[in-house]
Amino acid sequence: QRLDTMQVSSISWAFATLGYCESEFFHALGDSIVETGKLHFLETQNIAYLLWSFARLAVQHDTLLRGACEESCSRGLASFDPRHLSMLLW
């Protein structure tokens, strides 16, 4: 069974909150999100959780970051709740 976009962002957030960094997992997760076009389907909250988790664990995934920034800008930063915007910018 495949994970939906909310589950993906929740799992990455949980791992980051626990400080559990398995870089291969996070790279595979980032690759999957980018390659399947799931960024377009993420809620703004989930974009923020996802990017925060990568930043919190210092996992660099340039393609995911670039895609998430482009998606966020296309939606307009005003579409983000202030709490999620601060996570996105962190």
Side-chain angles (χ1 to χ4, degrees):
Q1 180 176 340
R2 299 200 181 264
L3 299 173
D4 66 32
T5 54
M6 184 176 181
Q7 292 167 326
V8 167
S9 66
S10 295
I11 289 169
S12 66
W13 177 85
F15 280 8
T17 299
L18 294 171
Y20 178 77
C21 182
E22 181 62 45
S23 62
E24 285 185 36
F25 168 78
F26 276 90
H27 278 67
L29 183 71
D31 290 344
S32 174
I33 290 169
V34 171
E35 291 168 5
T36 60
K38 287 185 178 180
L39 273 172
H40 181 69
F41 298 102
L42 286 169
E43 299 289 330
T44 54
Q45 169 184 342
N46 301 122
I47 292 172
Y49 286 169
L50 187 64
L51 290 186
W52 177 85
S53 67
F54 275 74
R56 171 75 170 81
L57 297 172
V59 175
Q60 185 172 340
H61 195 295
D62 293 337
T63 308
L64 175 65
L65 178 60
R66 188 173 20 267
C69 288
E70 289 171 2
E71 182 65 31
S72 298
C73 288
S74 73
R75 295 181 189 193
L77 295 179
S79 66
F80 284 84
D81 173 281
R83 178 178 48 138
H84 300 132
L85 183 57
S86 69
M87 289 177 75
L88 181 70
L89 298 174
W90 186 79

